[in-house]
Amino acid sequence: MPLTLHHLGRSQSERIIWLAEELGLDYNYVFHKRDPVFAPQSLKDLHPAGTAPVMEDDPSPATNSRVVLAESGAIVDYIIAVYGNGRLARTPKDGADYPHYLEWFHLSNGSLQPTLFRVLMTRGPTADPNSPVVAITLKKWDLLLARIDSRLAETGAYLAGKDLTAADIMSFFTLTTMRGFCPVEYDTEKHKNILAYLKRVAERPAYQKAIKICEGDDFTPLLDAKAEAFDFMKSRI
Ligand SMILES: N[C@@H](CCC(=O)N[C@@H](CS)C(=O)NCC(=O)O)C(=O)O
């Protein structure tokens, strides 16, 4: 089996395991434990990024040599192209779903996750709650949630359209597990479509299997309106 997927506990590399499970791929799985919050040396040894996810493909059918890739978006695109026969992506042949797919796929790492990360920074011990940066950041987060909720109201299902795509696989971590780092709440009325979406995705057998592989049986995905920080984050935010 040439494909090896590296997961760091409680991290966005859950996306890649979930993708592989949705596609029904065979792969080797390697778990890396946080040390105690950041990536351990084992992950830094694999790629200069020193972050998760990391994918190894040896030999890659594309290059006939060993490929080691970081960056979730790059890994998702690679796996879908090389092993997924294009499944879970959208192309111009898919009509209206295509531009939506592009926008939501890229929004995940381009806007959604950086904004939640900035929200986390506004909660640090040295953050000034009266800074205009805090107000702008919180406003941007609210706007993003409003956009996502209204898109989900439109489709009644997933971000690109009626079916799950890699745009969902890219975005879901920030709406769920990342809240264990930065416990933002959803409003049961304003975000009702997001809350329904979280439950809809969590019912997918491939998602359930991926989360079990990544975090074990005792982990409960953060799908409710309220979220609590992970224990290792509690003293840090
Ligand atoms: N943009 C990168 C971000 C990767 C990233 O920051 N991963 C986090 C896990 S959620 C990580 O490895 N954190 C540990 C560290 O930075 O030491 C991607 O999408 O892969």
Side-chain angles (χ1 to χ4, degrees), residues 8 10-12 15 34 37-39 43-44 50-53 70-73 109 113 173:
L8 174 67
R10 308 277 165 101
S11 89
Q12 60 197 283
R15 294 160 156 172
R34 287 182 180 268
V37 174
F38 291 105
L43 208 47
K44 295 177 185 154
T51 53
E71 284 297 330
S72 312
N109 266 14
Q113 191 170 116
F173 163 81

Side-chain angles (χ1 to χ4, degrees), residues 15-228:
R15 294 160 156 172
I16 310 303
I17 309 301
W18 178 24
L19 172 71
E21 292 300 333
E22 289 283 353
L23 293 172
L25 303 181
D26 286 333
Y27 59 93
N28 306 303
Y29 171 72
V30 181
F31 177 83
H32 300 260
K33 193 173 178 331
R34 287 182 180 268
D35 180 25
V37 174
F38 291 105
Q41 192 58 43
S42 55
L43 208 47
K44 295 177 185 154
D45 289 344
L46 277 168
H47 191 287
T51 53
V54 173
M55 179 215 81
E56 290 179 85
D57 198 16
D58 190 12
S60 158
T63 65
N64 294 319
S65 60
R66 179 171 177 257
V67 165
V68 183
L69 210 50
E71 284 297 330
S72 312
I75 296 171
V76 166
D77 276 346
Y78 177 99
I79 290 178
I80 288 176
V82 174
Y83 291 105
N85 202 18
R87 280 178 297 147
L88 298 182
R90 291 293 178 268
T91 71
K93 288 189 191 124
D94 297 301
D97 282 9
Y98 175 58
H100 286 298
Y101 172 77
L102 287 179
E103 185 167 304
W104 293 105
F105 185 100
H106 290 283
L107 176 134
S108 63
N109 266 14
S111 299
L112 185 64
Q113 191 170 116
T115 303
L116 186 54
F117 197 70
R118 282 201 294 276
V119 173
L120 175 60
M121 295 299 102
T122 67
R123 295 181 179 185
T126 57
D128 169 6
N130 299 314
S131 152
V133 175
V134 171
I136 290 167
T137 300
L138 296 179
K139 186 162 185 211
K140 281 192 184 296
W141 177 247
D142 282 350
L143 280 172
L144 279 162
L145 291 187
R147 260 175 84 191
I148 296 172
D149 200 82
S150 115
R151 176 62 187 155
L152 291 168
E154 236 166 66
T155 66
Y158 296 100
L159 289 169
K162 290 284 173 217
D163 297 308
L164 179 99
T165 67
D168 302 290
I169 291 179
M170 284 295 291
S171 304
F172 204 67
F173 163 81
T174 308
L175 297 171
T176 54
T177 311
M178 193 166 166
R179 295 163 73 216
F181 293 84
C182 182
V184 283
E185 281 185 26
Y186 299 129
D187 183 290
T188 49
E189 192 43 45
K190 271 198 308 189
H191 305 135
K192 62 175 186 293
N193 295 291
I194 293 179
L195 286 163
Y197 170 70
L198 300 190
K199 303 257 178 311
R200 184 175 309 126
V201 169
E203 278 166 13
R204 298 183 69 89
Y207 179 78
Q208 291 174 0
K209 186 170 174 202
I211 292 298
K212 260 194 207 320
I213 292 169
C214 291
E215 306 305 337
D217 289 334
D218 295 340
F219 179 75
T220 307
L222 281 66
L223 308 171
D224 296 330
K226 287 195 170 112
E228 218 187 291

